[in-house]
Amino acid sequence: MRLFSFWLNSLKGRLALVTSLVLVAFVLLISGVLEHAYRTSLNEAKQRELQLYIYTLLALAEPEGESLVLPPELPEQRFNQPDSGLIGAVLDGQGRVIWRSESALAMPEVEFSPLPQGQQSFMRISLPGGDANYSSFRQGVAWGLENEHPFTFVVLEDAAPLQAQVGQFRSTIWQWLGVAALLLVLAQWLVLRWGFAPLSALAQALRDMQQGGSDRLEGNFPLELRPLTDNLNLLIENERRQREKTRHTLADLAHSLKTPLAVLKGLSLEKDPDAAGKTLADQVQRMDSIISYQLQRAVASSPKSILRGIAVAPLLEKILDALEKVYRSRPCEVRRECTENALFYGDEGDLMELLGNLLDNAYKYGAGQVRVVIENPEEGRKLSIQIADNGPGLDSDKWREVTQRGVRADQQQPGQGIGLAVVVDIVESYQGQISAESLPKGGTEITVLL
């Protein structure tokens, strides 16, 4: 039972079991078909042989009144030898035996029904009181000028040699089929071993990773396994990057909080309470900004989805609806070009964070006009995002500056200056590309490829 359960829980075992059952069924079927074809061929040959004996007896028969007479010595010697296994007989119209060969003298009477003229019958019979089987052939004839005397010629032959031939053929075919089955089982085992070799290599690669020997799946895997290995490597890489990102974020947070904490430790509330209160408020605000940024940075580093795509159009509509409410006092005309089947192969939160920051900047720094173009290019699992506004515009130097932490393009606008830095972090986590250029008529167009 355990062995059977093991085979069912193994892909190789399942295939071996199923193919073995199919092989056994095929061997049984082919052996039955071949034996039936051989037996049919022998019966047809035997029928023709017995019919030739009938023609021999017809050629030797002579009419005598309403009966027939055959010579005492027939050319076929087996008719003349008792228990030779070949028997001849002639029946009249009433089914009475009017002649029997010498080979039938020691055998019991056999009752046959007469046949009409021209009718033939071939069958297998057993003689009374014996276990032997005989092949029987009968043919009805008519004698006389007007065919008024019907007779039935009968020839019997022992079927033991025929059965022995069938048995010998059955034994031979089973021997050859057995050898062929063993060769097929061996070939099947070799094919399964060769076919499952990539899976075994994949399992070994996973074991090497578990034991710390490698940090990714390496090997020349077939085309069917490459999506699996690529996605596993992507998942492993994202998990490793997430761990590093979390560790770096915690280290940055601890390092960033050192200075405000040092300032707070050095406050003297007794000497200058007003200045100390202002410093305390400033440092608390600074610490709050640092913590908010680091939290956003940690959220933005969520791993990429590798299994399914996320529809972009509904998320875009949700973000635009929210921004219209936020900037109700400053309405903005948005021209959107987003195909209904546009998909993002990543985390939904990353996409919302990226679009939210870029569109918020377009609303905030633009002059009332925004254009959004989102589509899947021909590269496959890529997403292209273009967001343009009609604001003052950014040159390359300004773009590099505003993507730094805490830097804002317009100091008069509220915010901590971390939105574009978060966008850049998200794009880098997906190994994407981001660029910005000033438009000839004013404004900035930001292009992102994920």
Side-chain angles (χ1 to χ4, degrees):
M1 182 62 70
R2 290 184 178 179
L3 181 61
F4 183 73
S5 176
F6 168 77
W7 279 65
L8 289 182
N9 291 328
S10 168
L11 287 177
K12 187 184 295 185
R14 288 184 179 184
L15 286 177
L17 181 61
V18 171
T19 53
S20 298
L21 293 177
V22 171
L23 177 61
V24 170
F26 175 78
V27 169
L28 293 176
L29 177 63
I30 198 67
S31 64
V33 170
L34 291 176
E35 183 178 338
H36 175 74
Y38 184 72
R39 188 189 299 274
T40 301
S41 176
L42 287 181
N43 286 334
E44 291 176 354
K46 182 57 64 177
Q47 180 178 349
R48 290 193 295 269
E49 181 183 354
L50 296 181
Q51 190 174 25
L52 290 176
Y53 289 140
I54 292 287
Y55 291 157
T56 301
L57 296 179
L58 282 172
L60 296 174
E62 295 292 340
E64 188 177 87
E66 296 182 357
S67 182
L68 292 177
V69 176
L70 280 88
E73 189 76 18
L74 299 178
E76 176 58 49
Q77 294 300 316
R78 294 175 63 196
F79 282 123
N80 305 320
Q81 300 172 1
D83 296 330
S84 64
L86 181 63
I87 303 170
V90 180
L91 310 178
D92 60 12
Q94 287 74 36
R96 294 172 299 187
V97 179
I98 61 175
W99 176 83
R100 289 200 308 172
S101 63
E102 295 293 333
S103 57
L105 295 180
M107 301 184 66
E109 294 286 345
V110 182
E111 296 183 0
F112 289 102
S113 58
L115 296 178
Q117 179 185 2
Q119 186 172 344
Q120 299 175 346
S121 174
F122 177 78
M123 65 179 64
R124 186 73 57 83
I125 65 171
S126 298
L127 295 181
D131 297 331
N133 292 325
Y134 282 79
S135 299
S136 165
F137 186 82
R138 293 180 294 156
Q139 182 169 344
V141 299
W143 222 278
L145 296 177
E146 298 181 359
N147 297 328
E148 66 272 17
H149 303 302
F151 300 98
T152 301
F153 282 71
V154 181
V155 174
L156 305 177
E157 187 174 22
D158 191 359
L162 191 67
Q163 293 175 342
Q165 282 185 285
V166 173
Q168 180 63 32
F169 177 81
R170 183 188 300 116
S171 176
T172 302
I173 197 66
W174 271 107
Q175 289 177 3
W176 283 106
L177 286 177
V179 173
L182 290 177
L183 293 177
L184 286 175
V185 169
L186 178 60
Q188 166 189 298
W189 181 78
L190 293 175
V191 168
L192 287 177
R193 183 174 181 178
W194 175 73
F196 279 92
L199 290 179
S200 300
L202 177 59
Q204 183 60 44
L206 288 173
R207 285 192 292 269
D208 292 341
M209 289 183 57
Q210 292 174 349
Q211 296 172 1
S214 174
D215 57 355
R216 60 183 288 112
L217 296 174
E218 301 288 350
N220 186 19
F221 298 105
L223 294 176
E224 292 80 3
L225 290 181
R226 286 179 187 174
L228 173 62
T229 55
D230 291 344
N231 285 336
L232 285 176
N233 282 330
L234 179 60
L235 184 62
I236 294 167
E237 177 64 21
N238 281 329
E239 193 273 337
R240 182 188 62 80
R241 189 179 301 156
Q242 179 68 17
R243 290 200 312 269
E244 292 181 358
K245 193 73 171 181
T246 302
R247 186 170 61 252
H248 293 165
T249 301
L250 292 175
D252 291 347
L253 179 60
H255 179 76
S256 301
L257 292 177
K258 283 183 179 179
T259 301
L261 288 175
V263 173
L264 291 178
K265 288 181 180 180
L267 286 180
S268 177
L269 297 177
E270 297 177 354
K271 293 182 178 180
D272 192 352
D274 294 335
K278 185 177 181 304
T279 302
L280 176 62
D282 291 341
Q283 295 305 316
V284 169
Q285 178 64 33
R286 182 180 177 186
M287 293 171 67
D288 181 69
S289 299
I290 292 172
I291 292 174
S292 297
Y293 166 70
Q294 296 295 350
L295 287 177
Q296 282 187 298
R297 183 185 177 194
V299 171
S301 64
S302 56
K304 182 186 299 187
S305 171
I306 62 176
L307 298 179
R308 62 181 181 87
I310 297 172
V312 179
L315 294 179
L316 177 62
E317 294 297 327
K318 186 185 300 185
I319 293 172
L320 290 176
D321 290 342
L323 290 175
E324 287 179 4
K325 296 176 182 178
V326 173
Y327 295 95
R328 186 172 300 170
S329 59
R330 297 172 54 191
C332 185
E333 179 185 352
V334 180
R335 187 176 64 179
R336 67 199 74 177
E337 298 177 17
C338 179
T339 57
E340 292 296 329
N341 57 351
L343 297 176
F344 172 62
Y345 294 92
D347 185 77
E348 181 177 338
D350 288 347
L351 182 60
M352 292 194 68
E353 187 73 20
L354 185 146
L355 289 177
N357 282 308
L358 293 179
L359 289 172
D360 182 69
N361 285 339
Y363 270 79
K364 185 183 299 183
Y365 300 110
Q369 291 184 359
V370 176
R371 180 172 62 88
V372 182
V373 180
I374 301 178
E375 61 182 356
N376 290 116
E378 296 182 356
E379 285 84 355
R381 295 167 64 95
K382 297 286 187 179
L383 182 69
S384 174
I385 302 173
Q386 292 180 339
I387 298 178
D389 60 52
N390 61 339
L394 289 174
D395 55 23
S396 57
D397 294 335
K398 192 66 174 179
W399 168 254
R400 285 193 296 269
E401 181 182 347
V402 297
T403 54
Q404 302 299 315
R405 305 175 186 177
V407 177
R408 302 199 304 274
D410 186 357
Q411 299 295 330
Q412 303 301 320
Q413 297 288 348
Q416 290 81 33
I418 63 174
L420 287 178
V422 171
V423 169
V424 171
D425 285 344
I426 293 175
V427 173
E428 290 179 351
S429 71
Y430 285 88
Q431 299 179 353
Q433 300 174 0
I434 183 171
S435 61
E437 61 177 349
S438 297
L439 299 176
K441 295 182 179 181
T444 304
E445 182 180 73
I446 297 179
T447 302
V448 177
L449 183 63
L450 296 177

